């Protein structure tokens, strides 16, 4: 059944002239910035924030904090079904890839792919599957197979020739910590990732990413005000260089400051015991506009699009493939 579909990759530069493609999720963080009257100003400001944060963290031999620039690229992953019929191709995942340019010597360093991970199927799971399960059960519930299809598709892509020929290292997905959980600061410190936080139990998102074969750790870098959640394969602290980790931190912290300023642009740093909240009032806004309500509404629209063009037409094949896919060994 592995021959029933394949994966392909296309790339688009993410710069101040970026415009979303027809296949991009309109709720994707970078697509949101490229909409509206101030789209170019939004993009320019976000890219400037990323560059400045990178040079702030990569401070060695960088007295003027201007040694490095970053070239960002959107990586779009399509799934292509081999059987004839409608909806043979579907946009599965989108992420940002990073190239780090050392202006002192002209050397380019490969960053970490996985930034701003975006998925139509995840929209479907959280905006269609979960509400339907809750309605059937008469209250909040998580189906036992929740996230199975998404997780196995992600793992299949990582092991595919398309991914392995394009990327030499596995991705790292960095997102916000959960507002439903409490995090406690530990004594563990990393020179780049900063101080580590831990929590007593997984959030729903943590469990969802676990089905993608990714484990999670939480770190608050120097100069940050809240920990970030890092999802990864392998050894986060030793598999990547300092510059690679800084690329992910500077990129994702910038997007979180824009989209979750109550947490990541707060005016005071996370305490030893910390529960993030979007209800906080003591924070600063960036100069980049973002409509969180509109994004939630669009997520539902896109979830229904996924159901119509991906889940329903390929249901039998996807169900059979998921059932036969090898169980994840942790």
């Amino acid at each position: 059944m592995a021959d029933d579909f394949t994966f392909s990759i296309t790339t688009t530069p993410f710069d101040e002239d970026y415009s979303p493609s027809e296949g991009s999720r309109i709720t994707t963080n970078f697509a949101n910035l490229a909409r509206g009257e101030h789209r170019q100003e939004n993009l320019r400001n976000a890219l400037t924030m990323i560059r400045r944060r990178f040079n702030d963290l990569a401070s060695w031999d960088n007295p003027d904090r201007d040694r490095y620039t970053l070239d960002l690229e959107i990586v779009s992953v399509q799934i292509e079904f081999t059987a004839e019929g409608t909806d043979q191709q579907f946009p599965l995942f989108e992420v940002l890839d990073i190239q780090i340019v050392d202006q002192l010597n002209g050397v380019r360093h490969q960053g970490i792919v996985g930034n701003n991970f975006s998925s139509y199927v995840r929209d479907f799971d959280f905006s269609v599957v979960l509400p339907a399960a809750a309605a059937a059960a008469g209250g909040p519930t998580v189906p036992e197979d929740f996230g199975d299809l998404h997780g196995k598709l992600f793992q299949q892509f990582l092991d595919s020739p398309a991914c392995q020929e394009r990327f030499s290292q596995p991705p790292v997905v960095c997102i916000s910590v959960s507002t439903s959980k409490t995090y406690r600061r530990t004594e563990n410190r990393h020179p780049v990732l900063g101080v580590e936080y831990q929590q007593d139990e997984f959030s729903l998102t943590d469990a969802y990413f676990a089905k993608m074969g990714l484990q999670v750790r939480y770190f608050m870098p120097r100069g940050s005000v809240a920990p970030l959640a890092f999802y990864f394969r392998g050894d986060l602290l030793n598999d990547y260089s300092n510059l690679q980790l800084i690329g992910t931190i500077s990129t994702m912290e910038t997007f979180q400051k824009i989209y979750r300023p109550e947490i990541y642009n707060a005016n005071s740093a996370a305490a030893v015991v910390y529960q993030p909240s979007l209800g906080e009032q003591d924070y600063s806004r960036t100069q980049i506009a973002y409509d969180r309500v509109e994004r939630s509404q669009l997520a539902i629209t896109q979830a229904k699009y996924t159901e119509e063009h991906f889940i329903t037409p390929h249901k039998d094949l996807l169900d059979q493939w998921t059932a036969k896919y090898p169980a994840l060994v942790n």
Side-chain angles (χ1 to χ4, degrees), residues 176-196:
S176 171
V177 287
S178 172
T179 56
S180 68
K181 301 300 176 185
T182 298
Y183 301 82
R184 290 172 173 80
R185 190 185 305 167
T186 72
E187 296 300 317
N188 189 38
R189 290 180 179 269
H190 183 271
V192 169
L193 292 168
V195 62
E196 185 167 20

Side-chain angles (χ1 to χ4, degrees), residues 53 56-57 220-226 253 257 264 269:
R53 181 57 167 148
D56 172 57
L57 288 171
M220 186 168 73
R222 171 179 61 82
S224 301
V225 297
E253 188 178 85
K257 283 183 175 180
Y264 290 97

Side-chain angles (χ1 to χ4, degrees), residues 121-147 204-205 208 303:
V121 179
R122 186 170 63 168
D123 279 345
F124 171 75
D125 281 340
F126 280 89
S127 298
V128 173
V129 174
L130 274 187
T141 186
V142 180
E144 186 177 348
D145 62 350
F146 182 69
L204 180 59
T205 297
Y208 193 80

Side-chain angles (χ1 to χ4, degrees), residues 77-93:
V77 179
Q78 295 82 32
I79 185 170
E80 299 178 359
F81 293 91
T82 55
E84 293 185 3
T86 59
D87 298 313
Q88 288 179 270
Q89 187 180 81
F90 189 81
L92 201 59
F93 309 122

